[in-house]
Amino acid sequence: MASERKPARVATGWPGVGAALATRLAKLDIRGPDDLRLHLPLRYEDETRLTAIADAREGEAVQVEGEVVSSEVVLRPRRQLVARIRDDSGTLTARWLHFYPAQQKQLEPGRRLRLFGEVRGGFFGDEMIHPRVRPVAAGEALPTSLTPIYPTTAGVAQSALRKLIARALEGLADEEYLPQAVLVELALPTFTEALRTLHRPPPEIDPAALESRTHPAWRRIKFEELLVQQLSLRRAYNARRTRNAPVLPARGHLSGALLASLPFGLTGAQQRTVAEIAADLAAAHPMQRLLQGDVGAGKTVVAALAMMQAAENGYQAALMAPTEILAEQHYLKLQAWLAPLGIEIAWLSGSRGKRERSAALARLGSGEVLLAVGTHALIEDPVALPRLALAVVDEQHRFGVRQRLALRDKASGGSHPHMLMMSATPIPRTLAMTHYADLDVSVLDELPPGRTPVVTRLVSEARRDDVVARIRDACVGGRQAYWVCPLIEESEALQLQTAQDTFETLSASLPGLRIGLVHGRLKSAEKSQVMAEFAAGRLDLLVATTVIEVGVDVPNASLMVIEHAERFGLAQLHQLRGRVGRGTAESACVLIYAHPLSETARARLKVIYEHADGFVIAREDLRIRGPGEFVGARQSGVPMLRYADLEQDGELIAPARALAERMLAHAPERTDRLMSRWLAGRLGLLRA
Ligand code: ADP
Ligand code: MG
């Protein structure tokens, strides 16, 4: 498992490895014999057989053995070392464009050599470029296992690494930490057997199973890796349960009042989630809960009810959102709900006037105001939330660990606040199990009633005018629309220019419509002005950059146009489409695309066209992109997987999780030893 940390400048060695070598090995994440043993081959070469030179086929990697007939350094077309090798069947040319004097010596005529490399047809007959060479005595035995090729780095030669690993394997004690019954059930070899097989596969092994990493030896290693990941996440989870948090029993007078004043009743999923959170808040250890719900599932009201539970107990609650537009919208919505109940909310954003800001800060600092809503401004220095008992982070994947921890640390005294993380980026089950095993998860798997499904259309850029005409008709008919400008990731300046240009051309072609423009560079006051106008129905069309991507909630808007949709990621398209279909009007999302479409862009558009369910889209996204990128945003010390593949090895996750629970409960010592085999000295670095 690779954890996210910079290689140490100077590493200390261990028996047989000096400091200089240790420093170079550290670049490979190798810090001791255990790491060497778990440094597994990328692939193998078969040196257990010899091929006659005459039988070597072009493009094939083979090993030949013969005598050097001649060798010389030639200067044309460039300086190179050229040797002719002969066996009973024919001759072959070997060529090196980079070489050392020692190599020249090795190639003296009459020497007997084994060459391993790919044969190519050259101008002067068959040749090998940069073959691997080994001098041998006549009749010397061939190796009995495949030759491993390890991932390596500058300054650590393949052959040196191979020796180090071989030595580490010799010192491998036969320590099996997994119960025999599990090995039998999953048909896995022991750890020692698996390592021996992977580092030195016998020649008769199924090469396909080795290459696809489906061989039982590979599965054993991957299972153990998944197990260790589960163990470390569950340990972190358990450790948190030993900390103190304010006990917030559900008293119900404020949450009940809020519920009664809502213009709607909660869905079944919302009720279940609210109950799960309420129970967590009443416990004496900090809640760590992820609330997942597709775009529009109604997470905000769930958060508001949790915040009421803190306030009912005289404690503070804070809600942090990643964009100013979203934070302000939350503030306005909460205020509309809570002002009639006489509950005050402090609103903190980077852009508020100094005086208003310091007044808000003073009242939060004294504990007089219990609720705070804001952007990152909430975690800035002068903000004090002495009675903070609940921290809610909306669109949590937009924040780094550090920021989430900073919010947590706003509470004073020895106790930790309860944390509620919300995300509309649904995570496929396998990913959730591996990456959120340290959290409790609530899922809003039901949309509020009365939503009409959004119709998605794919339209080529050539028909942009038709789309503009459609917008005119819709807006004249009283509907509201978004027009999302093309994403230009390389340049913010260009992005702004494009938004401005789009706004101008649309204004010119749609006279009579009230059109607004919102982008990231607008001053906050201007931004909220535009959003307020749109929300109030005083604008028909809102031209926007992706600042409206998350959270924005204007139920009357029913048409979404996304230009150059092929440039957007799947999660982004899903989020943007989720801005419409929030009211009762029939809604549509028009994706304008331009040619040429890359294969992945085509695949993404197909997925978004065919599917509306966020979980299905996330699964497809995972398939298209791979998990690495997918969870990149988590940026935490969660040990990432080096060998296990969530798609291929998904079926190992549930057993790994079950075994982790059992080991933590019944075999703490074995758990320690197993974890240190994989994580050695880095356990402390893994997570806060
Ligand atoms: P998200 O989960 O994407 O954050 P929101 O909390 O913004 O969703 O809710 C989307 C819209 O649905 C809001 O206008 C909200 O007031 C409304 N809403 C939430 N719950 C319900 C419900 N149970 N019935 C009807 N409308 C609801
Ligand atoms: Mg939301």
Side-chain angles (χ1 to χ4, degrees), residues 413-442:
S415 87
H416 281 211
H418 300 279
M419 299 283 291
L420 178 63
M421 268 90 69
M422 306 203 287
S423 175
T425 305
I427 306 269
R429 217 174 93 79
T430 46
L431 261 189
M433 262 202 286
T434 52
H435 288 79
Y436 294 119
D438 58 335
L439 303 176
D440 292 304
V441 180
S442 293

Side-chain angles (χ1 to χ4, degrees), residues 293-300 326 329-330 394-395 422-424 550-553 575 579 582:
D294 208 346
V295 177
K299 294 182 288 295
T300 317
L326 184 52
Q329 180 187 286
H330 282 328
D394 194 17
E395 307 291 344
M422 306 203 287
S423 175
V550 289
V552 171
D553 182 37
Q575 281 272 2
R579 297 309 116 217
R582 301 187 150 237

